[in-house]
Amino acid sequence: MRRRQQGANVSFQHQHWHTEAKEDGTSETRLMERTLTAREYFMHLKQADPTRATVSKTLTCFTWGATYWELNSFRGASHVAVLEVEAESMDAEVRIPHFVDVLREVTEEQSYDSYLLASELQKKARRRRRRR
């Protein structure tokens, strides 16, 4: 489940990501392209995976040149921020904005996936509770 706040603190959009198992044993995740009501969102929230923590991030979207970019700034994770680009294809030439300092390419690093970050954050929370 993903909750995305858009606008000037007045509009909230709830989106539902659904993962399905395929016949070949792999899985596919899809975004259900509809806005959930608050009631639907809270019903899904009650079914949250207890092995995952909530991932809070600020999403900053901008265009540079003719390209759409999303800067994901994570809170509570060891990762600081991830810049995503909406490219035509994986082979498309991408020109990084001159004002961005790229530390490294993380496209293939699964540890930057929000689902896995949620697991990492939950483990950290458990360790903190045990130390108390």
Side-chain angles (χ1 to χ4, degrees):
M1 175 63 59
R2 182 148 114 176
R3 178 179 185 229
R4 180 176 285 175
Q5 180 176 339
Q6 296 176 308
N9 296 324
V10 295
S11 175
F12 294 92
Q13 181 181 9
H14 310 284
Q15 298 173 330
H16 184 205
W17 291 82
H18 180 71
T19 303
E20 293 180 351
K22 294 167 61 175
E23 290 181 16
D24 64 1
T26 61
S27 61
E28 179 179 52
T29 302
R30 286 191 227 155
L31 170 63
M32 298 178 81
E33 293 285 346
R34 70 181 184 88
T35 300
L36 301 176
T37 65
R39 183 175 185 213
E40 289 173 310
Y41 173 76
F42 287 110
M43 284 177 30
H44 283 287
L45 198 56
K46 288 180 183 178
Q47 300 169 7
D49 183 348
T51 65
R52 308 279 180 212
T54 298
V55 175
S56 296
K57 65 180 177 178
T58 300
L59 181 65
T60 305
C61 304
F62 64 96
T63 55
W64 186 77
T67 308
Y68 179 78
W69 300 82
E70 292 182 355
L71 178 63
N72 297 276
S73 301
F74 295 91
R75 283 176 264 159
S78 57
H79 309 83
V80 178
V82 175
L83 182 64
E84 296 180 24
V85 61
E86 296 295 324
E88 296 279 328
S89 70
M90 289 296 286
D91 300 325
E93 182 181 339
V94 175
R95 298 183 67 194
I96 307 293
H98 63 86
F99 51 86
V100 174
D101 290 328
V102 177
L103 299 180
R104 71 177 195 267
E105 171 66 49
V106 297
T107 300
E108 301 300 323
E109 292 185 41
Q110 289 187 349
S111 64
Y112 287 88
D113 180 85
S114 292
Y115 185 74
L116 295 174
L117 277 173
S119 178
E120 175 189 316
L121 290 171
Q122 184 66 7
K123 289 174 187 174
K124 285 182 179 180
R126 283 189 188 135
R127 284 193 296 268
R128 279 194 305 270
R129 284 193 297 267
R130 282 189 209 134
R131 283 187 237 146
R132 291 181 187 168

